[in-house]
Amino acid sequence: MRDLREIRQELDQVDREMVRLFEKRMNLALEVAQYKTAHGMPVLDASREEQVLQSREAMLDDSALRADVRALYVQIMALSRGAQERWMKEAADHD
């Protein structure tokens, strides 16, 4: 069995990478907002979100985590939508 300190250090490394990737994902979500604004599209595309959820579930090696990865991505996409809505509102207020 590994030492608890070693496991926690590895968790910290994973979290650093997750935060970096989250920030990158949110920046991409803002690019999506710019595209949607330019093309008069709404923020929410429910069919796309369901497609994303299903594809992320399919990426798992451990199918027992399906509900958890779905819950994770529901939250991530809600945060992305919120950021897109704020960006679109700010863009509209500056026009």
Side-chain angles (χ1 to χ4, degrees), residues 35-93:
Y35 181 93
K36 288 178 177 180
T37 297
H39 292 86
M41 299 170 68
V43 169
L44 178 60
D45 181 346
S47 64
R48 169 65 181 153
E49 287 199 7
E50 183 56 33
Q51 179 185 36
V52 169
L53 292 171
Q54 289 177 11
S55 72
R56 296 330 177 247
E57 289 172 352
M59 290 177 185
L60 286 166
D61 291 328
D62 183 352
S63 63
L65 296 172
R66 282 184 183 226
D68 295 327
V69 82
R70 178 172 278 265
L72 172 65
Y73 274 90
V74 164
Q75 289 302 312
I76 288 172
M77 288 188 295
L79 292 167
S80 295
R81 277 194 316 277
Q84 288 178 16
E85 289 166 354
R86 286 188 301 277
W87 185 90
M88 292 168 115
K89 182 181 182 319
E90 289 175 16
D93 288 348

Side-chain angles (χ1 to χ4, degrees), residues 12-36:
D12 289 344
Q13 290 172 350
V14 169
D15 286 345
R16 270 191 291 283
E17 185 67 9
M18 287 176 66
V19 167
R20 186 188 68 75
L21 291 171
F22 175 74
E23 187 171 25
K24 182 176 182 176
R25 192 182 199 290
M26 293 301 285
N27 287 330
L28 290 168
L30 294 179
E31 286 187 49
V32 169
Q34 293 169 352
Y35 181 93
K36 288 178 177 180

